[in-house]
């Protein structure tokens, strides 16, 4: 059995897994985003050839192609460097603000490291010194900086300073920012907004567009005859209901193809199994990506019926871990955000003048969340609940 699987062949569905894992290396165009790519390319050309700096803010929900477009542009610029001398002094740096920690120090240190190709301390130096390192690295060159999930940075203390310094730096730096939060501008100070260029909106894909995108992945990544239009339409329809998430659609197709390995064709039951697995994995990933105090707030919520009790448990947990607890007001805001993320549910009950308003907490997947959270906290800080 294992030998047949290792060798592949009979009943195999996936022709080229790289199509799903690293699509940028395969695709030479991105459907339904051509206009955005062209407009951005014009801005880049003016910057490189005419010294006209620019900044863009890519806005759109998850799976609408923002990061894909940025990665595609970054790669294309590297290719153009080989053909056009004007581009040879262009340096680029992509940073996912959430993945590096989201703090101004974390983002600037990684950015400086990528632009200087040198090790940069993550602590012990102030923000101004990071900016100076970046300016020195850019001297005589032109830099294009890509800040993904920039809302993570902007919502942190002094996050605005990073953007302001980059946008107003006395250096040839242009910036493309990416955010899933379409209201991210509300968190920016007027001085940052005045320096910021236009917002570029990535509209959600509809079912027909998703089906065409899936057909491209299937054409390049799957063997002919292992899928049909009905399967692609089924996946597209499911993903279109969730704000047109192309990433989800592609992941579902890939997982369904893996489940169909050895059977030679993807069926509806493979897709349905992939959906269940995807939702479970997404919940775990969402928990892992939460900031530290959000994790503590969530852990406290698992042992509470209401927000007041959860805050008391949270304070006790912070004291055990020698962390400064957040105020009740800030804690309540975090609980509301966890509700917005769909991880927990808040029900508000008004008991009148005597009882006041009480916020009750419901956790639909309590056991699953508890397991994922406890494992993550043990891994992150060595704490076992």
């Amino acid at each position: 059995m294992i030998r047949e699987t290792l060798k592949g062949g009979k009943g195999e569905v996936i022709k080229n897994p790289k199509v799903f894992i690293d699509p940028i290396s395969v695709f030479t165009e991105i459907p339904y985003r051509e206009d955005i790519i062209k407009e951005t390319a014009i801005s880049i050309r003016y910057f490189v050839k005419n010294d006209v700096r620019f900044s863009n803010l890519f806005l759109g929900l998850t799976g609408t192609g923002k990061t894909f477009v940025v990665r595609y542009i970054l790669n294309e610029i590297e290719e153009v460097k080989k053909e056009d001398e004007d581009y040879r002094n262009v340096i680029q740096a992509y940073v996912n603000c959430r993945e590096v920690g989201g703090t101004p120090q974390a983002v600037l240190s990684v950015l400086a490291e990528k632009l200087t190709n040198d090790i940069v301390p993550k602590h012990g130096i102030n923000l101004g010194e990071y900016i100076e390192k970046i300016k020195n690295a850019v001297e005589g060159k032109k830099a294009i900086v890509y800040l993904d999930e920039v809302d993570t940075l902007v919502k942190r203390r002094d996050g605005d300073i990073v953007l302001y310094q980059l946008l107003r730096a006395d250096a040839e730096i242009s910036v493309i920012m990416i955010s899933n939060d379409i209201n991210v501008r509300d968190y920016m100070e007027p001085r940052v907004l005045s320096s910021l260029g236009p917002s570029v909106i990535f509209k959600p894909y509809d079912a027909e567009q998703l089906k065409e995108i899936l057909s491209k992945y299937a054409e390049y990544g799957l063997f002919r005859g292992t899928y049909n239009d009905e399967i692609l339409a089924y996946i597209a329809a499911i993903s279109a209901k969730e704000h047109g998430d192309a990433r989800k659609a592609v992941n579902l197709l890939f997982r369904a193809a893996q489940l169909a390995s050895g059977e030679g064709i993807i069926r509806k039951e493979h897709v349905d199994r992939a959906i269940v697995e995807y939702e479970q994995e997404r919940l775990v990933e969402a928990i892992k990506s939460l900031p530290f105090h959000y994790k503590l707030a969530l852990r406290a919520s698992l042992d509470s019926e209401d927000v007041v009790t959860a805050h008391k448990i949270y304070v006790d947990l912070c004291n055990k871990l020698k962390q400064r607890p957040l105020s009740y007001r800030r804690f309540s805001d975090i609980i509301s955000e966890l509700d917005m993320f769909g991880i927990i549910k808040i029900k508000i009950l008004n008991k009148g003048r005597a009882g006041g308003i009480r916020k009750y907490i419901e956790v639909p997947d309590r056991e699953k969340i508890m397991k994922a959270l406890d494992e993550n906290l043990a891994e992150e800080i060595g704490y076992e609940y």
Side-chain angles (χ1 to χ4, degrees):
M1 176 69 178
I2 188 172
R3 290 185 185 181
E4 293 302 316
T5 303
L6 289 169
K7 288 186 289 186
K10 188 177 180 182
E12 191 51 72
V13 175
I14 299 170
K15 177 172 62 178
N16 183 5
K18 197 172 183 181
V19 171
F20 300 94
I21 297 166
D22 185 21
I24 286 292
S25 65
V26 177
F27 293 107
T28 56
E29 57 183 33
I30 304 176
Y32 307 109
R33 296 296 179 243
E34 295 92 345
D35 289 347
I36 291 174
I37 292 169
K38 184 178 178 181
E39 288 297 318
T40 307
I42 291 170
S43 296
I44 292 168
R45 189 180 78 225
Y46 289 161
F47 172 53
V48 174
K49 293 181 177 287
N50 304 102
D51 301 325
V52 180
R53 292 171 62 181
F54 74 94
S55 63
N56 282 345
L57 178 58
F58 286 0
L59 296 176
L61 299 171
T62 304
T64 50
K66 303 179 301 299
T67 301
F68 199 172
V69 164
V70 159
R71 292 284 196 184
Y72 175 77
I73 290 170
L74 190 153
N75 284 4
E76 287 298 295
I77 289 172
E78 291 303 311
E79 291 302 313
V80 171
K81 279 186 184 184
K82 302 169 187 175
E83 305 166 3
D84 190 327
E85 285 188 8
D86 291 339
Y87 282 83
R88 287 179 187 168
N89 281 332
V90 174
I91 54 176
Q92 302 186 91
Y94 169 89
V95 179
N96 184 302
C97 299
R98 179 184 59 78
E99 289 180 0
V100 302
T103 65
Q105 287 82 1
V107 172
L108 282 178
S109 65
V110 173
L111 186 55
E113 216 163 70
K114 291 193 174 188
L115 291 173
T116 60
N117 286 320
D118 200 2
I119 297 171
V120 176
K122 291 181 170 51
H123 305 284
I125 62 176
N126 61 43
L127 299 184
E129 289 179 82
Y130 286 123
I131 295 294
E132 285 304 312
K133 284 181 180 292
I134 289 168
K135 285 166 65 176
N136 290 337
V138 175
E139 191 172 349
K141 301 175 182 176
K142 294 179 190 294
I144 302 175
V145 170
Y146 308 89
L147 297 177
D148 206 344
E149 299 197 57
V150 73
D151 44 291
T152 313
L153 170 67
V154 172
K155 292 174 186 178
R156 293 292 187 103
R157 184 180 177 183
D158 294 333
D160 263 5
I161 293 175
V162 175
L163 296 186
Y164 183 76
Q165 295 279 12
L166 288 174
L167 295 171
R168 290 292 185 95
D170 183 20
E172 292 293 322
I173 301 172
S174 287
V175 185
I176 295 178
M177 288 158 277
I178 307 159
S179 176
N180 295 330
D181 185 348
I182 58 175
N183 298 312
V184 68
R185 280 178 172 265
D186 296 344
Y187 297 92
M188 297 180 185
E189 292 183 9
R191 63 176 182 168
V192 175
L193 291 172
S194 67
S195 306
L196 190 60
S199 295
V200 180
I201 307 299
F202 284 65
K203 295 178 182 178
Y205 299 104
D206 60 30
E208 189 176 328
Q209 291 171 334
L210 286 171
K211 183 172 178 287
E212 184 175 334
I213 290 168
L214 287 174
S215 70
K216 291 287 184 187
Y217 276 84
E219 179 186 347
Y220 286 97
L222 305 180
F223 287 108
R224 190 178 296 178
T226 60
Y227 61 93
N228 55 44
D229 271 1
E230 287 74 20
I231 283 295
L232 300 184
Y234 180 53
I235 297 172
I238 290 165
S239 303
K241 288 178 183 176
E242 193 171 324
H243 62 252
D245 189 339
R247 190 181 305 166
K248 175 179 180 178
V250 172
N251 286 340
L252 288 179
L253 177 61
F254 185 40
R255 184 57 186 145
Q258 289 175 318
L259 292 170
S261 179
E263 298 179 34
I265 190 165
I266 301 172
R267 294 191 297 272
K268 183 177 177 293
E269 53 261 39
H270 296 132
V271 178
D272 291 339
R273 276 180 60 193
I275 292 167
V276 172
E277 288 184 16
Y278 179 85
E279 294 302 331
Q280 290 174 343
E281 287 172 12
R282 190 172 66 164
L283 178 63
V284 171
E285 287 305 311
I287 289 169
K288 284 182 179 178
S289 68
L290 290 172
F292 183 63
H293 279 271
Y294 283 62
K295 291 175 184 175
L296 297 186
L298 177 58
R299 191 60 187 81
S301 300
L302 295 174
D303 294 327
S304 315
E305 288 187 352
D306 60 83
V307 177
V308 173
T309 307
H311 184 251
K312 291 175 182 175
I313 294 172
Y314 160 78
V315 170
D316 289 341
L317 188 53
C318 284
N319 290 336
K320 283 180 185 177
L321 297 172
K322 297 181 180 178
Q323 297 282 328
R324 175 188 272 183
L326 301 173
S327 66
Y328 175 77
R329 182 177 177 179
R330 179 68 188 114
F331 177 85
S332 183
D333 288 342
I334 288 174
I335 293 297
S336 296
E337 287 185 54
L338 292 173
D339 175 46
M340 183 180 69
F341 295 156
I343 297 174
I344 64 174
K345 289 182 179 178
I346 298 297
K347 288 195 172 181
I348 299 175
L349 187 63
N350 192 337
K351 295 192 172 183
R353 290 184 180 180
I357 295 174
R358 200 169 182 187
K359 290 183 178 179
Y360 287 92
I361 301 171
E362 290 184 0
V363 188
D365 297 298
R366 183 181 296 272
E367 295 303 318
K368 194 187 302 175
I369 290 173
M370 186 178 292
K371 183 176 183 295
L373 189 57
D374 288 351
E375 285 177 358
N376 185 249
L377 286 172
E379 184 181 318
E380 190 173 330
I381 57 171
Y383 180 77
E384 294 188 11
Y385 204 88

